[in-house]
Amino acid sequence: AQTVTQSQPEMSVQEAETVTLSCTYDTSENNYYLFWYKQPPSRQMILVIRQEAYKQQNATENRFSVNFQKAAKSFSLKISDSQLGDTAMYFCAFMNTNAGKSTFGDGTTLTVKP
Amino acid sequence: ETGVTQTPRHLVMGMTNKKSLKCEQHLGHNAMYWYKQSAKKPLELMFVYNFKEQTENNSVPSRFSPECPNSSHLFLHLHTLQPEDSALYLCASSQVLAGAHPGTDTQYFGPGTRLTVL
């Protein structure tokens, strides 16, 4: 069974600074996808970034980037130049390509302070 | 904000009631999902429909009954629920490529239905 661990239940960062959210996972599979989703307060969950395990290059979306360490089974999210609108709960998710099953972490609540 | 809508947004029901949650996606996707989000627990995938066919049922109790009449609509029928079923129920949709599994693609979520079971 796959597990996803987000070891930081809550984090805070000053506006314009950089913050890194950690995520580790456990799997024996070789083909899978990893995701970071963002759920702002009282708003819909949206995809932040997606990484295919077979790709060595780290995914990047504007101010969001990941540090994907496949051997270490680590998938951290870095948010640069944090903005107030980045305040949200962030979920790390793992998708087993072969079994078609999704596993989500417990989430990290990020607060960006002015 | 996204092309996935859910109704109602809030629902309070007794344990003997029967109610239904509705999800509609306007994105032309071919897969739809139901998730349960409880306080202090990870997001739990409940059901997956791919081209209207149920492809996954994650050991969900029979008091939850999904229905997918077409690729744009998804229902979750509720009956004789328990207080511990109180949660935010999220619907999502995605476009699954041929030969791929649902969930490997980007999912678009609805706003959720906040369910309270008394």
Side-chain angles (χ1 to χ4, degrees), chain B residues 57-70:
Chain B
N57 174 344
N58 275 341
S59 302
V60 180
S62 59
R63 57 186 184 268
F64 294 92
S65 174
E67 178 190 1
C68 188
N70 54 62

Side-chain angles (χ1 to χ4, degrees), chain A residues 25 32 34 58 66-76:
Chain A
Y25 57 94
Y32 52 87
L34 294 161
N58 289 326
V66 297
N67 182 4
F68 175 45
Q69 302 288 330
K70 191 172 183 179
K73 298 191 173 87
S74 171
F75 184 61
S76 61

Side-chain angles (χ1 to χ4, degrees), chain B:
Chain B
E1 292 180 21
T2 70
V4 182
T5 58
Q6 289 185 245
T7 55
R9 294 294 304 274
H10 300 271
L11 178 62
V12 179
M13 59 187 290
M15 290 191 286
T16 58
N17 292 157
K18 289 185 179 181
K19 297 286 184 182
S20 295
L21 310 185
K22 179 183 176 182
C23 175
E24 184 173 0
Q25 60 97 358
H26 311 273
L27 301 169
H29 290 165
N30 54 21
M32 297 187 77
Y33 313 76
W34 277 119
Y35 288 88
K36 177 182 179 182
Q37 187 176 26
S38 306
K40 302 186 186 303
K41 290 182 69 176
L43 201 63
E44 301 171 63
L45 179 64
M46 301 174 71
F47 302 104
V48 180
Y49 277 82
N50 190 9
F51 288 102
K52 302 188 299 176
E53 298 296 323
Q54 187 179 131
T55 59
E56 191 159 333
N57 174 344
N58 275 341
S59 302
V60 180
S62 59
R63 57 186 184 268
F64 294 92
S65 174
E67 178 190 1
C68 188
N70 54 62
S71 57
S72 298
H73 293 85
L74 184 65
F75 295 90
L76 187 63
H77 303 301
L78 318 170
H79 62 98
T80 59
L81 294 191
Q82 304 298 313
E84 59 264 30
D85 296 323
S86 298
L88 181 67
Y89 288 83
L90 295 171
C91 173
S93 72
S94 70
Q95 183 61 27
V96 182
L97 299 178
H101 274 288
T104 55
D105 29 64
T106 300
Q107 294 181 50
Y108 293 79
F109 285 82
T113 294
R114 176 69 62 186
L115 174 67
T116 303
V117 182
L118 301 177

Side-chain angles (χ1 to χ4, degrees), chain A residues 38-46 85 87-89:
Chain A
K38 167 186 176 182
Q39 188 176 36
S42 302
R43 295 182 67 186
Q44 291 169 241
M45 189 167 333
I46 58 172
T87 292
M89 180 167 278

